[in-house]
Amino acid sequence: MGRKFFVGGNWKCNGTTEEVKKIVGTLNEAQVPGEDVVEVVVSPPYVFLPFVKSLLRSDFHVAAQNAWVRKGGAYTGEISAEMLVNLDIPWVILGHSERRQLLNETNEFVGDKVAYALSLGRKVIACIGETLEQREAGTTIAVVAEQTKAIADKVSNWDNVVLAYEPVWAIGTGKVASPAQAQEVHAALRKWVHDNVGAEVAASVRIIYGGSVNGGNSKELASQPDIDGFLVGGASLKPEFIDIINSAT
Ligand code: G2H
């Protein structure tokens, strides 16, 4: 069975109530292929999750941008996966490079977070990607393999995992990876999963690309055989997000 195209909108730390209403209004009116063709998930900041969920069309879904690594408790400022269960939020983004870099999240910590969220029935968009220095040093594949291994070490069932390859040098910079650059890493990742997890998971796991995706570059990126969708930041706040969703066909 083919891999269903996946488009995630990562709103990051952006938005007011009025802006959120406007974005959701645009999404709700959009003409896009059905859920059988493309899975659409938007990820507002935590404080807007229930609001967005209540307004959003039923064929689009919501994701949190993070979750605590274990059961909730005395962790000031954190949000637990149990709360996502309680609010019926199906998806969570974990291991985004902004958290890895700014908040020092390690590979092992991200692996633990992914495993814990999955254990509570959440679906996970797990982010990996190399820095510019690592790319220039020729270690891209080794870096993303190590990040993926830290997840694979803790996860036995990959049904609810989407892997998001997001080269750090392409995030929010306007410097998108070329389709060939992205395809090369996606193919290497799929091979890594094939060799280290199994052929069935390698064939079915969706590997999406993130980093300066926009309405102008999504179609060509989407045409690459191992690019199964996108995680979109800046452009997910704009009407061009609809064009990105439509690049599924
Ligand atoms: C990468 C991406 C969304 P942007 O972080 O996850 O952001 O599309 O703004 O580069």
Side-chain angles (χ1 to χ4, degrees):
M1 206 181 91
R3 297 181 293 269
K4 194 196 289 183
F5 205 78
F6 183 100
V7 178
N10 175 8
W11 297 0
K12 305 193 179 182
C13 188
N14 290 294
T16 61
T17 306
E18 283 315 305
E19 286 164 352
V20 164
K21 269 192 213 161
K22 204 170 156 203
I23 296 167
V24 174
T26 304
L27 294 176
N28 287 350
E29 283 167 17
Q31 297 289 322
V32 296
E35 267 192 287
D36 52 324
V37 174
V38 57
E39 190 164 5
V40 179
V41 174
V42 296
S43 189
Y46 256 102
V47 289
F48 297 123
L49 272 172
F51 182 52
V52 170
K53 188 176 163 63
S54 71
L55 293 181
L56 192 65
R57 56 197 286 171
S58 62
D59 55 335
F60 288 7
H61 302 282
V62 286
Q65 294 178 16
N66 180 39
W68 179 235
V69 64
R70 284 181 281 280
K71 187 170 163 47
Y75 306 106
T76 302
E78 287 294 334
I79 312 280
S80 69
E82 287 80 9
M83 293 170 192
L84 299 182
V85 174
N86 181 241
L87 293 176
D88 196 21
I89 305 298
W91 285 92
V92 58
I93 298 172
L94 294 172
H96 193 280
S97 67
E98 285 151 12
R99 296 195 63 88
R100 289 178 186 264
Q101 296 211 309
L102 303 174
L103 297 158
N104 298 320
E105 293 196 0
T106 64
N107 289 350
E108 291 64 37
F109 190 64
V110 172
D112 284 335
K113 281 186 163 194
V114 172
Y116 191 69
L118 290 174
S119 78
L120 290 190
R122 298 310 86 190
K123 301 178 190 183
V124 173
I125 302 165
C127 304
I128 55 176
E130 83 287 4
T131 63
L132 183 59
E133 294 70 31
Q134 290 165 333
R135 173 159 282 264
E136 287 174 346
T139 58
T140 296
I141 304 301
V143 167
V144 296
E146 207 177 309
Q147 292 168 330
T148 307
K149 181 177 184 305
I151 295 166
D153 284 347
K154 308 268 168 63
V155 167
S156 48
N157 185 341
W158 284 72
D159 290 351
N160 288 335
V161 179
V162 169
L163 267 184
Y165 168 58
E166 300 205 319
V168 178
W169 47 271
I171 295 178
T173 57
K175 278 190 216 160
V176 65
S178 70
Q181 278 174 321
Q183 168 59 25
E184 184 189 11
V185 180
H186 283 229
L189 273 169
R190 202 174 301 286
K191 181 173 183 321
W192 188 93
V193 174
H194 179 278
D195 297 348
N196 295 278
V197 180
E200 212 173 295
V201 175
S204 61
V205 70
R206 286 169 297 176
I207 306 177
I208 62 174
Y209 169 80
S212 296
V213 175
N214 61 39
N217 59 30
S218 57
K219 193 84 198 164
E220 204 189 341
L221 284 161
S223 71
Q224 300 300 309
D226 288 293
I227 297 182
D228 305 315
F230 302 113
L231 186 57
V232 185
S236 72
L237 301 164
K238 303 176 188 163
E240 68 184 292
F241 188 59
I242 310 304
D243 300 327
I244 299 169
I245 297 170
N246 282 317
S247 68
T249 55

